Amino acid sequence: MAKETFETSTSSSGSGSAVGVVEPSYDEKLGETRTVGQRALDSFKRNPDFRITQRGTVGANGQVYDLELAVQNTVQSPLARKLKGRHLQMIAIGGSIGTGLFVGSGKALAQGGPASLLIAFSLIGAMIYCTVHALGEMAVLLPVAGSFSAYSTRFLDPAWGFAMGWNYALQWLVVFPLEVVAAAITVDYWNSNISPAAWVGIFLATIISINLFGVKGYGEAEFVLSIIKVIAVIGFIILGIILDVGGGKDGEYIGGKHWRDPGAFNNGFKGLCSVLVTAAFAFAGTELVGLAAAETANPRKSLPTAVKQVFWRICLFYIVSLTLVGLLVPYTDRRLIGQSDSDAKASPFVIAIKSASIAGLDSIMNVVIMISVLSVGNSAVYGSSRTLAALAEQGQAPRFLAYIDRQGRPLISIGIASTLGLLAFLAASSKEEEVFLWMQALSGLSSIFTWGSICLAHIRFRRAWKLQGYTLNQLAFRSQAGVIGSWLGFLFNCLVLVAQFWTGFAPVQPRDGPRIEGASALTKNFFQGYLAVPMVLAFYIPYKIYYRTPFMRCRDMDLKSGIRELNLQELVAEEELEKAAWPKWKRAYKFFC
C-alpha cells in the first residue's frame, strides 16, 4: 500500500489536474454576448457547478451522520481559487498583526512587566509555529473548504468538527462589529467631534465592499494592508533601537534601565499567566492561511512558503518589537491603562513615540493601528463566511448558507456576517461597554480551541497516514516541528486554558481604579474570560448525543478525497531532484522561507 499512487474519479469536465476536486466553471461563453451590467448581475446567480447535500441525505433519520458525503462536499466546494502566492505570504506575515500587538501589549506590559511580556509572547509564538506547520502539512495535501473544522470532522469526531466550526464562525462574527467599533475609537485620538456612528458606517461599507469583490478582493486588500503594517513595525524597530541607545531628542541613553527600575516582572507568576492569555489573543488569525488554502490557485507551491514565513513574523514583528517596547516604556506608566482594549492612547508604541517628543509620528502610528483594526475586520468577514459555507456543505449548518455564486462568493454567509456588523452601531448607545464586553467574551478563548484542535487533528492524521501504509516522503510538505511539535502545541493550548481559568477567578488587581472583589464581580470577570468553554460544550454535547457520531479510528479515516494532484508522488520526487541541484545558500533559504 505504501507504493500506492493517489487516484480518484475526476469530473468529466475537469482537466485531470485535480483529485476529488471540481474546478469552478462559470460558463464564460455566455459572457461574449452580454453587457457588463448583465454579467455583473449574473455573477450573483448560483454557481452551475454548485453541489450541496440533498435534503434527507445527511442525518435523514435524525441519528446518522454521513461522514463520507460531508467529506466529498468540502472537497467539491465551488469556492473560487484566485489567491496567489503573494497574497498568502502577506496574509501569513501581516495577517494577524492588529490591536493585540499594538494596543493589547500595553495592558500586558502593565500587568506582567517587560520580562513576562517577552516570555509569554515567545512561548505562545513557539506554540503558533508548531500549530501553523501542522495545519500547513494537512492543508497542502488536502486543501478543502473549511480547513481546520473539516479536519476535526474528518480526523477526530464529526461532533467536534461541528463544535469547532461554529466556535470559529461565531468568533469572527462577533469580532467583526468589535473591530469596526475599535476603528471608530481610534479616530477619537484626534479628538474628533464627528459621531462614532458616522465612522462605523464608513468602515462597515468599506469592509463589506471589499468582501463583495470576492476572494481576490480580500487577498488584494490584505496584501496592501499587511505591507503597511510590516513597514510600520520595521520602522518602529529601527526608531526604537535609535531611541534606546541615546539617539532621541534629549540624547539620553536608556538601555535596560526600565528592567532594573521598576523591574522586569510585575505581579509574579500570576502576572505572567495573565500576559500568556493576552499573548494568545494577539496571535488570533494566524490560522487564516489554512482557511485560504481551498481558494488558492496552487496551494502545494504557495502554502509551504507562507507557512515558513510565520516563523519570521513571530521573531521580527512580535519578539523584537516587544523587546524594544519593554526597554522604552516602564510598566508603571499610567498611560498603559486605556479606556478600552482599542484605545490607541494606551498603545506602548504610541507612548514610546510621544515620550521621545517626535511631533506627528504618534498620529502616523495611530493611522497604522486603525488600518490594522480594519484589516482584522476584513479577515473577520472572510473567515466567518467561509466557515459558515463549509459547515453548510458538511450538513452541519442550514443549507442556504452554502449558496455560492458564479464568482465563487458565499453570498448568503457574507450577508449574515455583514448584517451582524450592524451591531457596531451600538457604539453610540449608552449600553455599549456592557454589550461589547460580553461579545468579546464569546470570542475570548475561541482561538485556543481552534489551535488545539489543529494540533490534535495533525497527530491523528499522522497516525492514520502511517497505519494506512503511506510514508512521510509521500507528503508534499512536512511540518518542521513534526508530531512532537503538535503534541507540544496541544499541551500548551491546554495550559493556556488552565492559566485563563486561574486568572478568571483570581484576577490580577489593577493598580488604579476599582478592585475586582466580591462574588458578583468575580463571577462576572470569570465568565467574561471563560464564556467560550461552555459555548463549545453546548455545541458539542447535544450534537454528539443526537447524531451518535463516532470518534474516528485511524484505519477508517479518508486520506484520499481532496488531494488536488493526481500524480503527487511523482511530483514530490521531481521536486526532490530539483532541490538536490540547488546551491547550499538556496537550500538554507528555502528551509526557512
Side-chain angles (χ1 to χ4, degrees):
M1 195 169 190
K3 304 284 186 185
E4 181 180 352
T5 56
F6 297 103
E7 297 175 357
T8 190
S9 56
T10 57
S11 74
S12 59
S13 62
S15 61
S17 63
V19 172
V21 178
V22 178
E23 294 288 343
S25 169
Y26 305 121
D27 200 8
E28 293 176 356
K29 293 180 181 178
L30 292 175
E32 298 170 2
T33 59
R34 294 177 297 170
T35 65
V36 174
Q38 286 173 326
R39 288 201 298 271
L41 287 174
D42 286 345
S43 73
F44 290 97
K45 293 180 180 178
R46 187 187 295 271
N47 185 342
D49 290 326
F50 175 83
R51 287 179 174 80
I52 187 60
T53 309
Q54 298 302 312
R55 189 178 297 278
T57 303
V58 175
N61 62 2
Q63 293 184 326
V64 178
Y65 182 82
D66 193 332
L67 179 64
E68 184 178 346
L69 190 55
V71 168
Q72 289 301 318
N73 282 332
T74 57
V75 165
Q76 297 173 350
S77 174
L79 290 169
R81 300 188 187 104
K82 295 182 179 179
L83 284 180
K84 298 178 181 177
R86 63 183 178 88
H87 296 137
L88 272 189
Q89 287 169 31
M90 291 314 296
I91 290 170
I93 292 173
S96 66
I97 296 176
T99 50
L101 173 64
F102 289 129
V103 181
S105 57
K107 180 181 177 183
L109 178 61
Q111 287 184 333
S116 291
L117 186 70
L118 203 55
I119 292 169
F121 272 82
S122 298
L123 290 173
I124 296 293
M127 180 264 286
I128 288 294
Y129 174 78
C130 297
T131 303
V132 173
H133 269 262
L135 176 60
E137 182 178 301
M138 295 186 290
V140 169
L141 186 72
L142 304 165
V144 299
S147 189
F148 24 84
S149 63
Y151 299 144
S152 292
T153 295
R154 200 160 167 174
F155 302 135
L156 298 177
D157 176 4
W160 188 250
F162 170 78
M164 286 302 95
W166 277 104
N167 167 66
Y168 195 69
L170 285 175
Q171 172 193 347
W172 285 120
L173 287 171
V174 166
V175 162
F176 180 38
L178 285 174
E179 295 300 323
V180 171
V181 170
I185 289 173
T186 59
V187 179
D188 288 339
Y189 184 80
W190 297 289
N191 299 315
S192 172
N193 294 322
I194 301 173
S195 169
W199 292 110
V200 164
I202 293 169
F203 296 144
L204 273 176
T206 302
I207 293 172
I208 292 169
S209 298
I210 288 171
N211 279 272
L212 286 178
F213 277 100
V215 68
K216 196 167 184 181
Y218 164 75
E220 293 295 349
E222 282 303 300
F223 181 77
V224 173
L225 296 177
S226 292
I227 286 176
I228 294 171
K229 290 188 281 186
V230 166
I231 291 172
V233 173
I234 292 174
F236 176 82
I237 289 171
I238 295 170
L239 175 65
I241 293 171
I242 293 170
L243 293 175
D244 192 60
V245 299
K249 198 172 181 180
D250 54 6
E252 179 192 2
Y253 174 77
I254 299 172
K257 76 172 187 179
H258 295 317
W259 281 61
R260 295 187 295 272
D261 181 23
F265 292 94
N266 187 27
N267 294 312
F269 183 67
K270 186 184 288 187
L272 174 61
C273 287
S274 66
V275 177
L276 206 64
V277 174
T278 305
F281 299 158
F283 281 102
T286 311
E287 69 290 334
L288 279 168
V289 174
L291 192 66
E295 297 180 83
T296 304
N298 190 348
R300 191 176 58 83
K301 287 283 187 182
S302 52
L303 255 179
T305 301
V307 165
K308 290 174 186 175
Q309 287 175 349
V310 170
F311 171 79
W312 298 108
R313 189 193 74 205
I314 292 169
C315 288
L316 182 63
F317 303 132
Y318 283 87
I319 307 305
V320 176
S321 64
L322 290 175
T323 299
L324 289 166
V325 160
L327 291 172
L328 296 171
V329 183
Y331 70 74
T332 51
D333 194 313
R334 293 180 181 274
R335 292 173 293 180
L336 290 170
I337 309 298
Q339 298 301 312
S340 72
D341 289 339
S342 310
D343 187 357
K345 294 174 185 175
S347 166
F349 292 80
V350 173
I351 291 170
I353 292 169
K354 285 183 74 71
S355 297
S357 303
I358 304 174
L361 199 55
D362 57 324
S363 290
I364 293 174
M365 197 68 209
N366 189 58
V367 170
V368 172
I369 293 172
M370 184 172 68
I371 288 171
S372 301
V373 170
L374 291 175
S375 171
V376 176
N378 187 36
S379 296
V381 176
Y382 175 81
S384 60
S385 61
R386 269 58 181 182
T387 304
L388 286 173
L391 284 168
E393 286 176 341
Q394 294 176 87
Q396 295 175 334
R399 290 159 45 88
F400 64 85
L401 292 175
Y403 181 98
I404 296 174
D405 69 12
R406 298 187 180 204
Q407 291 298 316
R409 296 169 297 203
L411 271 186
I412 295 179
S413 295
I414 291 174
I416 287 177
S418 303
T419 302
L420 285 175
L422 297 176
L423 289 171
F425 283 107
L426 287 169
S429 164
S430 59
K431 294 288 184 181
E432 171 223 340
E433 186 176 350
E434 192 70 19
V435 171
F436 284 108
L437 272 174
W438 287 106
M439 285 176 67
Q440 209 166 24
L442 277 174
S443 64
L445 288 174
S446 296
S447 292
I448 302 299
F449 281 102
T450 298
W451 298 333
S453 297
I454 290 169
C455 291
L456 191 57
H458 179 247
I459 292 166
R460 299 290 294 157
F461 162 76
R462 275 288 190 95
R463 176 70 175 156
W465 189 258
K466 183 179 179 181
L467 281 179
Q468 293 189 26
Y470 299 115
T471 66
L472 295 182
N473 290 331
Q474 291 174 280
L475 292 171
F477 171 70
R478 262 182 280 172
S479 165
Q480 290 178 350
V483 177
I484 293 175
S486 293
W487 273 113
L488 288 173
F490 176 71
L491 293 173
F492 211 85
N493 277 290
C494 294
L495 286 176
V496 173
L497 286 175
V498 173
Q500 177 63 41
F501 186 87
W502 182 34
T503 57
F505 74 79
V508 173
Q509 298 293 348
R511 290 195 310 272
D512 302 308
R515 293 176 60 84
I516 305 171
E517 294 177 327
S520 176
L522 287 171
T523 302
K524 181 179 178 181
N525 181 75
F526 175 79
F527 279 104
Q528 282 178 349
Y530 226 67
L531 187 61
V533 176
M535 287 293 292
V536 167
L537 295 177
F539 278 108
Y540 175 70
I541 294 173
Y543 194 89
K544 181 73 176 175
I545 294 171
Y546 187 75
Y547 284 106
R548 300 179 186 175
T549 58
F551 294 106
M552 298 308 300
R553 304 179 72 175
C554 291
R555 66 170 178 264
D556 298 328
M557 292 178 189
D558 180 0
L559 299 178
K560 291 184 180 180
S561 298
I563 295 175
R564 200 173 285 187
E565 302 291 348
L566 269 170
N567 53 346
L568 180 63
Q569 193 171 351
E570 288 80 0
L571 286 169
V572 171
E574 286 177 15
E575 287 176 3
E576 289 300 322
L577 285 173
E578 183 184 343
K579 290 176 184 176
W582 287 349
K584 288 183 179 179
W585 68 266
K586 190 172 183 179
R587 267 182 275 177
Y589 173 78
K590 287 292 184 181
F591 179 80
F592 291 107
C593 300

